[in-house]
Amino acid sequence: EILSTRRSIQHCCRDNNLGKGLQVLNQAIRNCVYIEAQSFYNLLNLCEGSFAKGGVHVGTPRPRDDCKIDDPNGKLNSNDKRHKRDVDIKGANDGLKQNDESDISLPQRLSHANEIHSLLSRLKIPCTEPTYTALIRLASRVGDFDQAEKYLDQAERTQQCKVKLRMYSALIRGYC
């Protein structure tokens, strides 16, 4: 299910289908499927619209023979770190709205991105520079400069995020 979820999210990114991507996320959360950090990052970039511009490449995972579930019943052991994270994911984002429309407004996209970012924060998954850049761009495009500045501040304080000029330029462009 992990590979299937990742692949489904990648296909949504390829097709620029945010509504379907959010449905895949919600289904994975309901089914306690482990969601990799990269899938969250891809969804945030999808909210921003990076995939529509062809600016983000999403590779297709290749199944490996050594990828096995922890037990024959397909359930993770209760002491498995991934299981705990799945439990944390389940119900953590019940308010995430599903939307089949391919034309989702910018404020709705920002709302979805904020919810996904909040979920990442609750799961203690740090955002990367491209992820923060997407969040800042989206908030700036909507005109929510306070939120964009908050994301910039968080990015500057995140150890795993190496701040680049494009992050600042997104906010500066928004002010212009």
Side-chain angles (χ1 to χ4, degrees), residues 70 76-84:
D70 291 339
L76 296 171
N77 297 328
S78 61
N79 61 354
D80 190 344
K81 184 177 177 182
R82 290 180 297 176
H83 178 71
K84 181 177 183 335

Side-chain angles (χ1 to χ4, degrees), residues 19 22-24 26-27 30 95-101 104 112:
L22 295 172
Q23 288 177 349
V24 170
N26 278 323
Q27 182 179 2
R30 278 193 307 274
L96 193 64
K97 298 165 192 71
Q98 296 182 20
N99 195 335
D100 284 330
E101 300 172 21
I104 300 174
H112 293 311

Side-chain angles (χ1 to χ4, degrees), residues 6-7 10 15 18 38 41 45-46 58 63 67-68 75 80 85 89 93 100 105 114 119 128 131 139 147 155 158 176:
R6 181 190 330 156
R7 195 172 297 120
Q10 288 176 336
D15 300 338
L18 178 58
Q38 186 61 46
Y41 302 154
N45 278 298
L46 183 59
V58 179
C67 291
K68 294 195 168 65
K75 304 284 184 195
D80 190 344
R85 187 158 147 208
I89 290 172
N93 208 8
D100 284 330
S105 71
N114 288 337
L119 178 59
T128 60
T131 304
Q147 185 65 47
T158 301
C176 295

Side-chain angles (χ1 to χ4, degrees), residues 94-138:
D94 291 336
L96 193 64
K97 298 165 192 71
Q98 296 182 20
N99 195 335
D100 284 330
E101 300 172 21
S102 60
D103 188 29
I104 300 174
S105 71
L106 282 176
Q108 288 174 319
R109 286 176 177 271
L110 180 59
S111 174
H112 293 311
N114 288 337
E115 291 181 49
I116 293 169
H117 178 262
S118 175
L119 178 59
L120 282 169
S121 296
R122 286 193 299 268
L123 295 171
K124 297 184 181 0
I125 299 173
C127 287
T128 60
E129 183 272 331
T131 304
Y132 274 118
T133 299
L135 289 165
I136 292 167
R137 280 185 190 150
L138 182 56

Side-chain angles (χ1 to χ4, degrees), residues 21-51:
L22 295 172
Q23 288 177 349
V24 170
L25 175 63
N26 278 323
Q27 182 179 2
I29 290 170
R30 278 193 307 274
N31 295 335
C32 291
V33 174
Y34 177 79
I35 303 169
E36 300 166 313
Q38 186 61 46
S39 293
F40 285 112
Y41 302 154
N42 287 342
L43 284 169
L44 284 171
N45 278 298
L46 183 59
C47 287
E48 188 266 328
S50 295
F51 293 102

Side-chain angles (χ1 to χ4, degrees), residues 133-161:
T133 299
L135 289 165
I136 292 167
R137 280 185 190 150
L138 182 56
S140 295
R141 284 175 37 209
V142 171
D144 190 348
F145 299 112
D146 290 336
Q147 185 65 47
E149 288 178 10
K150 286 178 188 174
Y151 284 136
L152 182 60
D153 183 55
Q154 287 175 14
E156 291 172 337
R157 290 184 288 118
T158 301
Q159 184 178 3
Q160 293 85 351
C161 179

